[in-house]
Amino acid sequence: APSPTAQIGVTGLAVMGSNIARNFARNGYSVAVHNRSIAKTDALIADHGGEGNFVRAETMADFAAALQRPRRALIMVQAGDATDAVIEEIAAVFEPGDIIIDGGNALYTDTIRREASLAERGLLFIGAGISGGEEGALLGPSIMPGGPAESYAAVGPMLEKVAAQVDGEPCCTHIGPDGSGHFVKMVHNGIEYADMQLIGEAYDLMRKALDMPVAEIGTVFKAWNDTELASYLIEITADVLAQVDAATGKPLVDVIVDEAGQKGTGRWTVKSALDLGIPVTGIAEAVFARALSSSRTQRDAAAGLAAGTLAPPPADAAAFIDDIRAALYASKVIAYAQGFDQISAGSREYGWNVNPGALATIWRGGCIIRAQFLNRIREAYQEHPELPSLLLAPYFRDAVESGIDSWRRVVATAATMGIPVPAFGSSLAYYDGLRAERLPAALTQGLRDYFGAHTYRRIDAEGSFHTLWSSDR
Ligand code: ATR
């Protein structure tokens, strides 16, 4: 038999898998390529074989035989049962010391389970979150690998090479043990949900409060991309709003059904946040807003419900657009602050020791939420690694403080004009709740003690107290 030549293998050659295989080949690695059905493997080699050194593997045994030891295999199939099935097939032909990397969107608890069970068989495992969509996979994604340090040492340099590069630094770093990589990827997607919801609310306000044409709103987003909001999502919002439907001549956004889909990572983020007790209100509102949009039966039935007396539009449109920009930025800061809170809570819960500054660093390029302001987050954590909330970093505190009046005007105007802004509104409520000296939680405690003798603590004495509450005399 010829001696194995491939430095890495990719199995699962749908769009993401074949693009990342090409990315490895373009970076000079010899890549074994495998897919359950050989047609995708052959199509990849036929269409892109000239880009580098691919080794065609028809069976899993061929795949294993093609790989230099320790073998390195990247799995790019659907999360869930397919991933388990493929891991099993690979484990059957790999030997102790070989490395399996799951690059899919696995649930982090599955990754914890898989890492432990493969470790028992002497195999090394990495659960790597990969963000950036098709284009990122080909040209350089943001990669969030979690697993034992030994596994990272064996594949980290290759992953760092194919990742996006920002200011000479790769958008890939070892996140921590077992499920940490997929956990931070999950929260990344949750933040992406919040980011998109906030952008949607800003757009809706310009449409409904200011009656602006779609193209004009697109122009506003384009201009915003030259401000502190500069980011991939703001940039592509301008493109989406500029797109005209060839069939009708209308803005394309006006012929798209207004029901948002979801694949589940936003929902996972919120479920995990509930378990960890972390208020990720921006992300939760974004998940629920998608659910509301898809509640077709209720929406149709509710279409005639009263709006009450609505306020007139803001008198100064230009000033209101500027308020929306400030409200968007402040709400975005809240969404990230909440997401990073969840990451530090997850890190504490599972003992991962995730470095938030390093994470912000690898989110600056490649991924969907890449944005100028991740540089600010990175600086904030570099200065104060133990920051209790991003909101307390001087840069973010100042940014929110300088936008607060705009933020209140936007939320108030939306309420009086009957325009739903769940993410803007809940982010403001979170901010006001966090900074409040006293919260009505004292009353909640009183009620709990009244009906259930749950006891309460006093501000002026140690211990638990119970009152024999008297009913209305
Ligand atoms: P697409 O992006 O085309 O929708 P997909 O349906 O998500 O892709 O599937 C992604 C990859 O998972 C495919 O390569 C698929 O293999 P096939 O081309 O043979 O369908 C692979 N896949 C899905 N389930 C699998 C399983 N149980 N075992 C092995 N590979 C599987």
Side-chain angles (χ1 to χ4, degrees):
S3 59
T5 55
Q7 294 154 292
I8 189 155
V10 178
T11 180
L13 301 175
V15 179
M16 287 292 287
S18 55
N19 279 2
I20 206 145
R22 291 170 60 196
N23 185 348
F24 278 112
R26 288 168 167 208
N27 275 287
Y29 294 111
S30 167
V31 189
V33 282
H34 173 270
N35 192 64
R36 176 175 59 181
S37 50
I38 191 74
K40 281 199 177 78
T41 314
D42 287 335
L44 169 63
I45 291 173
D47 297 342
H48 306 288
E51 290 178 3
N53 191 1
F54 296 100
V55 183
R56 177 183 185 273
E58 185 156 356
T59 65
M60 222 29 123
D62 296 342
F63 189 61
L67 290 163
Q68 292 175 4
R69 297 213 57 201
R71 301 185 181 89
R72 303 175 185 92
L74 173 62
I75 301 177
M76 296 297 293
V77 304
Q78 285 127 312
D81 294 344
T83 301
D84 277 315
V86 173
I87 287 174
E88 220 23 73
E89 286 173 41
I90 298 178
V93 290
F94 272 24
E95 293 164 88
D98 291 347
I99 302 138
I100 300 175
I101 308 147
D102 175 17
N105 258 331
L107 184 60
Y108 68 96
T109 46
D110 286 342
T111 304
I112 293 173
R113 165 178 62 77
R114 289 167 182 151
E115 200 271 320
S117 109
L118 288 170
E120 280 177 17
R121 299 158 75 172
L123 292 167
L124 296 169
F125 188 65
I126 290 221
I130 301 184
S131 176
E134 286 176 44
E135 192 184 83
L138 183 63
L139 304 175
S142 177
I143 308 179
M144 296 149 248
E150 190 188 355
S151 307
Y152 192 79
V155 292
M158 297 176 78
L159 298 177
E160 289 174 18
K161 183 122 184 253
V162 300
Q165 311 286 321
V166 173
D167 301 338
E169 287 178 80
C171 293
C172 173
T173 191
H174 185 210
I175 302 296
D178 56 68
S180 59
H182 277 132
F183 183 88
V184 301
K185 171 58 164 54
M186 174 189 78
V187 178
H188 162 285
N189 284 26
I191 291 173
E192 180 184 315
Y193 272 57
D195 243 342
M196 289 168 68
Q197 175 64 22
L198 293 168
I199 286 172
E201 291 177 16
Y203 151 81
D204 209 34
L205 282 162
M206 283 185 259
R207 270 205 101 151
K208 293 179 181 157
L210 299 175
D211 204 21
M212 288 167 63
V214 173
E216 219 172 280
I217 301 172
T219 310
V220 169
F221 276 98
K222 207 173 169 65
W224 284 356
N225 204 36
D226 292 326
T227 69
E228 73 281 5
L229 280 170
S231 60
Y232 174 68
L233 282 170
I234 293 284
E235 181 189 324
I236 68 170
T237 298
D239 292 343
V240 170
L241 294 176
Q243 192 81 30
V244 173
D245 175 42
T248 60
K250 291 181 185 170
L252 186 56
V253 72
D254 281 350
V255 298
I256 297 178
V257 174
D258 59 342
E259 297 169 17
Q262 43 182 318
K263 283 197 176 167
T265 45
R267 189 168 56 234
W268 289 348
T269 309
V270 177
K271 282 184 177 176
S272 147
L274 289 171
D275 287 339
L276 292 166
I278 303 298
V280 292
T281 59
I283 300 170
E285 289 295 350
V287 174
F288 285 134
R290 290 196 192 186
L292 187 149
S293 77
S294 299
S295 303
R296 191 32 79 183
T297 311
Q298 287 87 345
R299 287 180 64 191
D300 287 345
L305 293 183
T309 309
L310 298 178
D316 185 340
F320 192 62
I321 292 172
D322 216 51
D323 282 345
I324 298 172
R325 183 191 49 74
L328 176 54
Y329 193 62
S331 305
K332 184 178 159 108
V333 170
I334 299 293
Y336 280 72
Q338 294 177 337
F340 274 87
D341 278 352
Q342 181 172 358
I343 286 164
S344 62
S347 179
R348 271 195 308 277
E349 172 82 11
Y350 292 98
W352 285 329
N353 209 9
V354 173
N355 176 343
L359 189 56
T361 301
I362 66 162
W363 284 353
R364 294 180 307 159
C367 64
I368 305 298
I369 64 170
R370 61 186 183 260
Q372 283 292 324
F373 113 129
L374 282 158
N375 280 306
R376 307 287 90 75
I377 297 181
R378 159 184 150 114
E379 287 156 14
Y381 282 113
Q382 276 171 346
E383 271 168 47
H384 303 281
E386 303 300 329
L387 206 57
S389 164
L390 258 190
L391 281 174
L392 299 171
Y395 173 84
F396 291 106
R397 196 186 54 218
D398 293 350
V400 172
E401 275 176 3
S402 68
I404 185 75
D405 294 348
S406 296
W407 199 6
R408 293 194 193 288
R409 278 194 293 273
V410 168
V411 173
T413 301
T416 55
M417 291 189 75
I419 302 166
V421 289
F424 278 9
S426 72
S427 305
L428 180 57
Y430 173 85
Y431 179 73
D432 281 332
L434 210 54
R435 64 176 196 82
E437 211 168 297
R438 292 279 296 165
L439 289 170
L443 175 56
T444 305
Q445 288 298 79
L447 294 171
R448 294 178 67 239
D449 187 58
Y450 188 116
F451 65 67
H454 292 301
T455 75
Y456 54 86
R457 286 179 293 122
R458 293 184 58 96
I459 59 171
D460 54 2
E462 288 294 315
S464 298
F465 295 85
H466 173 53
T467 292
L468 296 172
W469 303 86
S470 49
S471 58
D472 186 23
R473 277 140 293 196

